[in-house]
Every structure is written in structure tokens, then in C-alpha cells.
Amino acid sequence: MARLPILRYPDPRLHTVARPVASVDERIRRLVDDMLETMYEADGVGLAATQVDVHERVIVMDTSEPRDRAVVLINPEIVARSEELKVSEEGCLSVPQIYDKVERHARVTVRALGRDGQPFELDAEGLASVCVQHEMDHLLGKVFVEYLSGLKRDRIRTKMLKKTREELRGE
Ligand code: NI
């Protein structure tokens, strides 16, 4: 397994729309394993392939505590969503140290293929529901900060660009 570099907002590649996975083969399983290692190392609860610059519909997540229940979603589709909405605080490995409130469906049911290529359904609520919706947005090229006001987004963009410049200079 290998850790993959995570794209940081406002990298334009984060706005790429991912294509469906054609077949769950060795290449995809390796991607899944690398994404899991990357997510756990970064202490994240979810990671979309988009964030590691692979534009195929693959998500890994683990919202369990202790973090020992990895969920792999390949070609995920939401098949049911609650009318009830819920606001919660979100963060993102592509937007480090930024947290803000986003409103989402309280519960969703997702149909996807697992790492073994077999279809399954996941009923998600709480953090898992937030995470699924957040990661599926990534596959559509959408980052959670796009739900925030233009003013907040501009501030975050400036902050992230500054952080990236500082890192490039080795500060
Ligand atoms: Ni994210």
C-alpha cells in the first residue's frame, strides 16, 4: 500500500466529475487500499478518489470508533433520502483546519459495489450520512466550502493558497 498526495482546495482538479468504474479489478483494489491507508494516516473519516486526483467513482470511509470498520463504495448511488434535513459541522482533508456548518439529508440509503465488486446497500445516519453525502459531492467535483457564503469561501481560498505557498517555501 502507499500513501497518496491529497489535492488541496482550490486546486481546480477537485472540480473534475468522476466517471463510473468499469470493472472492479486489481487496479481498483490497489486504489482502494491506497486510499484507505491515506485516509487513516491523515486521520480522516472519508476520502473520495477525486481528492487523490483519480477521477473514478470510488469512496472510502470509516466513521466507526475505534476506527476499524472501513466502508468501500464503488459507483455509489443514493437510492433513498430522508426529507428531514440536518445541519452539522464538516471538515475535509482537502481543506485542512477549516470546519463549518452544512445542511444535508439526515439519512440516506446508498447502493454501491464493495471492494469485492459485489453490490450492497448502506443505510447511513448521523456522521456516516454526512460523510457519504460529502464524499459523493467530491465525485461530482463539489467541495463542501461551496455551500458556504462567497465571502467565507474567498477567505478560505486565500488561507489555503497562503498555506500552500508557505509549504512550498519550506516554512
Ligand atoms: Ni472532503
Side-chain angles (χ1 to χ4, degrees):
M1 297 210 284
R3 277 175 71 181
L4 306 167
I6 299 174
L7 299 180
R8 181 181 291 164
Y9 184 80
D11 191 310
R13 290 172 289 181
L14 285 169
H15 303 302
T16 311
V17 177
R19 60 184 179 277
V21 169
S23 83
V24 182
D25 54 15
E26 203 42 56
R27 181 182 66 89
I28 293 296
R29 280 190 288 274
R30 192 173 318 123
L31 171 66
V32 162
D33 294 343
D34 289 346
M35 285 173 63
L36 280 168
E37 182 177 347
T38 305
M39 176 187 77
Y40 285 120
E41 285 282 339
D43 210 20
V45 293
L47 186 70
T50 310
Q51 293 176 274
V52 293
D53 203 22
V54 175
H55 302 288
E56 295 180 73
R57 293 181 61 80
V58 178
I59 287 169
V60 297
M61 53 187 263
D62 188 345
T63 54
S64 71
E65 195 62 60
R67 296 155 51 69
D68 58 1
R69 263 175 289 159
V71 176
V72 176
L73 300 166
I74 299 169
N75 295 344
E77 300 295 339
I78 292 183
V79 293
R81 35 174 77 77
S82 65
E83 272 180 45
E84 185 195 341
L85 303 174
K86 210 177 161 199
V87 174
S88 48
E89 187 128 297
E90 294 187 22
C92 179
L93 293 176
S94 292
V95 198
Q97 281 138 38
I98 301 290
Y99 302 90
D100 216 318
K101 292 184 171 66
V102 178
E103 185 177 58
R104 305 215 184 247
H105 299 282
R107 292 172 302 281
V108 293
T109 302
V110 187
R111 189 174 295 157
L113 304 176
R115 190 185 178 282
D116 58 2
Q118 294 303 307
F120 69 102
E121 274 190 13
L122 173 75
D123 291 314
E125 61 179 326
L127 179 58
S129 174
V130 172
C131 189
V132 166
Q133 293 171 79
H134 175 119
E135 302 311 330
M136 286 185 68
D137 273 352
H138 275 302
L139 300 180
L140 296 173
K142 187 164 183 173
V143 181
F144 87 102
V145 298
E146 289 168 63
Y147 290 103
L148 309 179
S149 70
L151 183 66
K152 275 189 180 174
R153 207 162 55 235
D154 287 347
R155 277 200 204 127
I156 292 167
R157 185 190 306 264
T158 305
K159 202 169 173 174
M160 291 298 122
L161 289 170
K162 183 166 175 265
K163 198 178 165 80
T164 303
R165 274 198 310 273
E166 284 170 358
E167 284 172 7
L168 286 173
R169 284 203 303 262
E171 287 174 17

